[in-house]
């Protein structure tokens, strides 16, 4: 059966049952029971005409049985019994509520990510544990503590409104982007899951420009995946990537998401930067002054030493290596030993003509690299 269908069904059913029962464990168990029943029965009896409705009915009936046995509140039983299989509103509303609840700032960031993967993305607990490099038992405890924190803190199962929505949305977007970057750095399945969740959020909140911008940013970065490494697994820099191998359909979709939208926050700015790279016919044709301008804007909206490193690179290509080194000088102390900062300084120094100093900087960057592929790529620049 279709794994994506069952993951989406798990999320949809769990979200609805959490709203109706307030019991995360019950909701997840009943959703999984329904899926397991489908996997047993559908190959034998045939797939029903409305598979999503079949799963919802099976999960609802399982929840009713368990709540009756546990003598739960009559009102919650009544709400479950009145749930219609063809009811259109809860899926969108409930899954949006679920995302915002999982990403509540009262939870630690790692708990937000783990809970989102388990409940919204529908990943089994063992798979979530593998992604976090912990045991299944440890991850089960972490998820249990997160759910307990939601109950103890009285975190409401709803999408906030007004100023609270504006305040909370960055937490949701940050969790989704963290999922994407973890996948981009080595877990392709997780990267694809983050894009799927970003699509879901964009469909549920079409009027929020930063939501569409996050999806566009993920698509633009994902579009280069096939060209980022050579057959030996070594990294290929943007300058030397085969642009015919980029996913141009994803690029076109992302550019369309950005068209006519206001640039209101950091994801929109980063998406426009990524689009500048993605739409250039080759590296030499990149509009570096425009990218430098976007990075200047990003530094004002979302200042950080890491942004300054990227801004230095853009200024170096737009206005000469001395301009880039001047930007980098302002954050050198804050990023001492940070491999990308050392690599940026090495590249700018080499382009300024000081090859000996550049070689030493590339060696230092390689020593601080976070992966073997990155280390090899930097050592190749030593010459």
């Amino acid at each position: 059966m279709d794994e994506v269908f069952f993951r989406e069904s798990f999320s949809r059913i769990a979200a609805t049952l959490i709203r109706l029962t307030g019991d995360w464990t019950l909701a997840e168990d009943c959703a999984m029971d329904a899926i397991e029943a489908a996997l047993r029965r559908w190959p034998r009896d045939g797939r029903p005409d409305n598979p999503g409705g079949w799963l919802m009915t099976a999960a609802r009936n399982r929840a009713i049985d368990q709540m009756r046995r546990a003598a739960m509140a009559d009102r919650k039983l009544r709400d479950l019994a009145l749930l219609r299989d063809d009811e259109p509103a809860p899926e969108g509303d409930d899954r949006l509520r679920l995302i915002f609840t999982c990403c509540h700032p009262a939870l630690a960031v790692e708990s937000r990510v783990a809970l989102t993967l388990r409940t919204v993305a529908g990943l089994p607990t063992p798979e979530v544990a593998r992604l976090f490099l912990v045991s299944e038992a440890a991850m089960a405890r972490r998820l249990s503590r997160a759910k307990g924190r939601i109950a103890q803190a009285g975190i409401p199962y709803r999408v906030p409104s007004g100023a609270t929505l504006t305040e909370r949305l960055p937490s949701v977007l940050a969790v989704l982007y963290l999922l994407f970057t973890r996948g981009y750095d080595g877990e392709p399945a997780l990267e694809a899951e983050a894009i799927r969740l970003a699509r879901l959020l964009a469909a549920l909140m079409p009027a929020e420009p930063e939501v569409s911008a996050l999806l566009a940013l993920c698509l633009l970065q994902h579009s280069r995946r096939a060209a980022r490494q050579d057959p030996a697994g070594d990294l290929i820099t943007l300058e030397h990537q085969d642009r015919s191998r980029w996913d141009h359909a994803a690029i076109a979709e992302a550019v369309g998401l950005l068209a006519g939208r206001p640039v209101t926050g950091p994801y929109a700015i980063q998406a426009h930067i990524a689009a500048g790279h993605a739409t250039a016919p080759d590296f030499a044709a990149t509009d570096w002054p425009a990218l430098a301008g976007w990075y200047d804007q990003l530094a004002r909206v979302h200042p950080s030493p890491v942004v300054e490193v990227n801004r230095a690179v853009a200024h170096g290509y737009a206005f000469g290596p001395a301009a880039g080194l001047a930007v980098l000088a302002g954050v050198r102390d804050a990023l001492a030993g940070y491999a990308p900062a050392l690599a940026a300084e090495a590249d700018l120094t080499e382009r300024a003509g000081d090859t000996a100093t550049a070689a030493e900087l590339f060696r230092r960057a390689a020593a601080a690299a976070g992966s073997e592929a990155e280390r090899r790529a930097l050592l190749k620049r030593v010459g």
Side-chain angles (χ1 to χ4, degrees):
M1 306 302 295
D2 185 356
E3 181 180 355
V4 172
F5 167 76
F6 281 119
R7 281 190 178 180
E8 290 180 345
S9 296
F10 176 89
S11 173
R12 175 173 61 88
I13 294 166
T16 299
L17 294 183
I18 289 170
R19 172 173 60 86
L20 294 172
T21 68
D23 188 327
W24 285 63
T25 301
L26 174 70
E28 291 178 353
D29 287 348
C30 291
M32 187 55 65
D33 286 347
I35 290 170
E36 289 174 352
L39 290 171
R40 289 193 305 271
R41 295 180 56 178
W42 291 0
R44 182 189 68 226
D45 302 337
R47 187 166 179 151
D49 293 336
N50 180 8
W54 190 100
L55 289 170
M56 180 65 80
T57 299
R60 178 197 61 192
N61 291 341
R62 177 71 170 161
I64 289 173
D65 289 344
Q66 291 199 26
M67 291 175 70
R68 280 175 176 158
R69 286 198 296 269
M72 298 284 287
D74 289 342
R75 181 184 61 79
K76 292 181 179 180
L77 279 170
R78 187 168 58 252
D79 287 344
L80 276 172
L82 292 174
L83 176 65
R84 301 199 314 271
D85 298 341
D86 59 350
E87 187 176 351
E91 176 178 354
D93 293 346
D94 286 342
R95 293 181 86 181
L96 191 55
R97 291 187 186 102
L98 186 57
I99 291 173
F100 272 86
T101 304
C102 289
C103 299
H104 195 283
L107 301 175
V109 171
E110 287 204 341
S111 294
R112 295 179 216 169
V113 174
L115 203 56
T116 300
L117 286 173
R118 176 67 191 102
T119 308
V120 183
L123 298 185
T125 300
E127 190 170 341
V128 179
R130 181 182 63 80
L131 292 170
F132 278 82
L133 303 178
V134 299
S135 69
E136 181 180 348
M139 179 51 64
R141 290 193 295 271
R142 181 179 299 177
L143 291 167
S144 179
R145 286 194 298 270
K147 295 171 191 174
R149 173 65 175 159
I150 289 171
Q152 293 164 8
I155 295 173
Y157 185 63
R158 65 167 183 257
V159 179
S161 59
T164 306
L165 174 62
T166 302
E167 180 181 294
R168 288 269 303 281
L169 184 58
S171 176
V172 173
L173 298 178
V175 166
L176 293 185
Y177 193 48
L178 180 58
L179 293 181
F180 175 82
T181 53
R182 285 193 177 194
Y184 189 74
D185 289 339
E187 290 284 348
L190 190 55
E191 179 184 355
E193 197 61 49
I195 291 175
R196 188 183 72 81
L197 293 176
R199 286 190 189 281
L200 170 63
L201 190 61
L204 296 174
M205 304 183 73
E208 288 290 340
E210 276 289 87
V211 175
S212 296
L214 175 66
L215 174 57
L217 176 59
C218 292
L219 288 170
L220 288 163
Q221 293 183 343
H222 171 74
S223 71
R224 300 194 295 268
R225 170 169 282 280
R228 291 179 64 223
Q229 291 182 315
D230 65 17
D234 287 341
L235 296 178
I236 303 174
T237 62
L238 184 64
E239 181 178 3
H240 298 104
Q241 288 178 14
D242 179 357
R243 299 188 178 214
S244 68
R245 300 187 65 201
W246 289 1
D247 186 342
H248 294 281
I251 293 170
E253 180 184 356
V255 171
L257 287 168
L258 296 174
R261 291 271 189 167
V263 180
T264 59
Y267 294 106
I269 298 170
Q270 291 177 82
H272 278 280
I273 291 169
H277 288 297
T279 56
D282 54 50
F283 190 81
T286 304
D287 188 349
W288 286 106
L291 295 186
W294 282 118
Y295 272 116
D296 290 343
Q297 187 173 344
L298 182 61
R300 291 191 293 270
V301 171
H302 189 67
S304 78
V306 175
V307 169
E308 289 299 294
V309 172
N310 293 313
R311 191 167 80 91
V313 173
H315 274 253
Y317 277 103
F319 311 117
L325 288 168
V327 173
L328 204 55
V331 291
R332 185 176 287 111
D333 292 342
L335 291 171
Y338 179 56
L342 290 166
E345 184 178 2
D347 181 70
L348 291 165
T349 301
E350 183 179 64
R351 291 172 50 222
D354 188 350
T355 56
T357 301
E360 177 57 28
L361 287 166
F362 278 125
R363 290 190 188 93
R364 289 171 55 195
S371 70
E372 181 60 24
E374 184 183 357
R375 188 187 72 83
R376 290 195 303 267
L378 289 166
L379 287 176
K380 284 181 180 180
R381 297 291 304 273
V382 173

